[in-house]
Amino acid sequence: MNKDLHGALRAGDADRFHALCRGGELPSLAGETFSDLALSGFDFSGMDLSNTEFAGCLLEGCSFDGVDLSGAYFDGSTVVAATFDGATIEGLAVDGGGWKQCRLVGLAWTDSEWTGVEWAQCTIEDADWSGASISSITVSGGRIARIGGSDATL
């Protein structure tokens, strides 16, 4: 990954990050590990974040629309008012943390694992939970609608 782009992420500087992403091919953040970062207002739309780890991060007002999150790992991270419309989350693992006011629409949750997560005021719609493992989840408010699939473990 570009050193300047990496620096903008580590500094939590969304404006600089977006400026560095303009005018060319979207950068890949695949396989990166981000720990204890506070990221607000970042637009990752369309990027490759496969196998990326977010450990103990605060992700607020971020867009993950159309992002490849296959094999990514959210470990004890808090995700607030983020959108994931049309993202690829096959094999995504989420362990602990809170997801608040998030929008997850039109996703195939194939082989994803969600353990010990709080969903508060989230919108989860038009989902295929085939092969997903969802356990020890706390749901407060929000909307979960039009869920399909087979072989999900709840």
Side-chain angles (χ1 to χ4, degrees), residues 35-76:
S35 300
D36 303 316
L37 297 180
L39 303 178
S40 180
F42 278 77
D43 186 353
F44 298 106
S45 294
M47 290 186 180
D48 182 358
L49 293 170
S50 59
N51 300 306
T52 298
E53 180 179 351
F54 293 94
C57 293
L58 169 61
L59 305 165
E60 187 170 12
C62 295
S63 174
F64 293 89
D65 295 343
V67 168
D68 182 358
L69 285 165
S70 55
Y73 182 45
F74 288 79
D75 182 17

Side-chain angles (χ1 to χ4, degrees), residues 37-134:
L37 297 180
L39 303 178
S40 180
F42 278 77
D43 186 353
F44 298 106
S45 294
M47 290 186 180
D48 182 358
L49 293 170
S50 59
N51 300 306
T52 298
E53 180 179 351
F54 293 94
C57 293
L58 169 61
L59 305 165
E60 187 170 12
C62 295
S63 174
F64 293 89
D65 295 343
V67 168
D68 182 358
L69 285 165
S70 55
Y73 182 45
F74 288 79
D75 182 17
S77 290
T78 300
V79 184
V80 180
T83 60
F84 293 82
D85 295 353
T88 301
I89 64 168
E90 182 175 339
L92 172 73
V94 181
D95 189 14
W99 289 53
K100 299 170 177 75
Q101 301 168 338
C102 293
R103 182 174 161 85
L104 300 105
V105 175
L107 306 181
W109 297 50
T110 310
D111 298 325
S112 64
E113 297 181 18
W114 297 71
T115 305
V117 179
E118 176 191 1
W119 289 333
Q121 300 299 322
C122 291
T123 299
I124 301 170
E125 296 178 340
D126 302 318
D128 179 355
W129 283 4
S130 295
S133 175
I134 301 169

